[in-house]
Amino acid sequence: MSEGKDMSFFGHIGELRGHLIRSIIAIVIASFAVGYNINWIMDHVFFGPTRNDFPTFKIVNHFSRMLLGSDSIELPKEFPVRVQRLYQQFNVMIAVSIFGGLVIAFPFIVWELWRFIGPALHPNERKNSIFIINSVWILFVMGVMCGYFLILPFAVNFGVIFKISDIIIPLYDLSDYTALFLQVVIGMGVVFLFPILIYFLTIVGILNPKFMKKYRRHAVVLIMVVAAIITPADVLSMIMAALPLLILYEVSIIMCHYTFKKLQKREAGLQV
């Protein structure tokens, strides 16, 4: 939107199109950068959680040696990955490149969104919107990091060590691992935006802190369901995913309480 101008509906659409085009260009450029370095990214980032020298495993084993005297997590030295289709590696490269480009360009995308809606806001609303816009990309990146460093390693560990027979020789499918990777990492990135959703629902009057406190137990059940959807079947990964979501819910209650009181003061000032 252009500040100080009354634009028609199609003018707004044209302005929005410009922001969307720039956002798409940013994703494409970032995706090409990821694709150009795909070999290094696959070896060191994508398959990082399958190796014993992954930071999460090193930290867990460090404390395990202090408390138990031995490592509690030890993955096999090899993680054999197979491909069954001719273009499977190419498809995975495209998926990883687009995902990596989206994560890298996400702050720019959010900034473009703020540039579109910012001029239409009042000065006070604009100050608050800067905080919200920054919170969006920060929470998303935090969710991605939480999924990558906290949940994915334990999900991989469970899938590797679980055996029903020593006769079975493990050969892991590339597409299955890719699906697990994206499911956990993207899922946590999206779910971490929950406080932003609560903020807007409070603004429009749908939620209030009393409601959120009253139905806290129901929210815990829902959080466990969401954690089960994001993670594989093992209980440990589900618990690891549910813990940050429970903390986010408590943070959302605080945010809802603060926003609700602020709205009440504003309404009281208008009535006077």
Side-chain angles (χ1 to χ4, degrees):
M1 291 183 186
S2 300
E3 191 171 3
K5 294 182 179 179
D6 293 330
M7 299 178 65
S8 65
F9 172 77
F10 291 104
H12 292 312
I13 295 297
E15 189 75 13
L16 177 60
R17 182 179 60 183
H19 293 290
L20 292 177
I21 290 174
R22 285 190 290 272
S23 298
I24 293 173
I25 291 174
I27 296 174
V28 171
I29 293 174
S31 298
F32 270 108
V34 173
Y36 183 77
N37 298 282
I38 192 66
N39 291 334
W40 185 91
I41 290 173
M42 294 296 290
D43 293 341
H44 295 85
V45 179
F46 189 74
F47 288 115
T50 66
R51 296 196 298 265
N52 285 304
D53 60 350
F54 191 68
T56 303
F57 297 143
K58 293 173 69 174
I59 293 173
V60 171
N61 286 334
H62 172 74
F63 288 102
S64 178
R65 285 191 293 269
M66 292 176 57
L67 298 175
L68 304 176
S70 61
D71 292 343
S72 59
I73 296 178
E74 187 172 355
L75 298 178
K77 293 183 179 180
E78 296 183 356
F79 187 80
V81 180
R82 64 175 182 176
V83 292
Q84 296 179 312
R85 294 183 296 275
L86 184 61
Y87 288 97
Q88 192 171 4
Q89 294 188 68
F90 177 79
N91 293 335
V92 168
M93 183 198 72
I94 296 298
V96 172
S97 298
I98 293 175
F99 168 71
L102 179 62
V103 172
I104 294 172
F106 194 78
F108 178 81
I109 296 171
V110 175
W111 180 66
E112 283 288 342
L113 175 64
W114 181 83
R115 286 184 61 199
F116 176 70
I117 66 175
L121 302 175
H122 296 293
N124 291 334
E125 294 175 334
R126 195 174 302 172
K127 292 179 181 179
N128 294 332
S129 68
I130 294 175
F131 171 77
I132 295 300
I133 290 298
N134 285 323
S135 298
V136 169
W137 71 264
I138 290 174
L139 286 171
F140 179 78
V141 173
M142 286 177 60
V144 168
M145 293 295 102
C146 179
Y148 180 71
F149 286 105
L150 185 61
I151 300 170
L152 186 61
F154 293 101
V156 171
N157 177 65
F158 176 83
V160 169
I161 66 173
F162 183 81
K163 289 184 178 181
I164 57 175
S165 174
D166 291 334
I167 298 177
I168 299 174
I169 300 176
L171 289 173
Y172 308 110
D173 186 74
L174 178 61
S175 294
D176 287 343
Y177 178 78
T178 304
L180 172 66
F181 185 99
L182 298 180
Q183 174 184 336
V184 171
V185 177
I186 294 179
M188 289 302 295
V190 172
V191 171
F192 260 59
L193 298 177
F194 179 73
I196 305 300
L197 176 63
I198 295 299
Y199 173 81
F200 284 108
L201 292 178
T202 306
I203 288 290
V204 299
I206 297 177
L207 286 181
N208 59 66
K210 183 178 179 180
F211 178 88
M212 294 191 67
K213 291 177 183 178
K214 179 180 179 181
Y215 291 97
R216 181 185 271 114
R217 293 182 180 179
H218 300 78
V220 171
V221 175
L222 182 60
I223 286 173
M224 298 303 294
V225 172
V226 172
I229 294 173
I230 294 175
T231 60
D234 64 299
V235 178
L236 180 59
S237 298
M238 185 180 71
I239 294 175
M240 297 297 291
L243 286 177
L245 300 185
L246 291 171
I247 296 174
L248 279 177
Y249 186 81
E250 297 301 323
V251 172
S252 299
I253 292 178
I254 298 173
M255 176 181 290
C256 182
H257 179 75
Y258 172 78
T259 305
F260 188 73
K261 288 187 67 176
K262 196 172 182 180
L263 289 174
Q264 286 183 323
K265 290 181 179 179
R266 184 182 300 176
E267 291 177 0
L270 292 174
Q271 290 177 359
V272 174

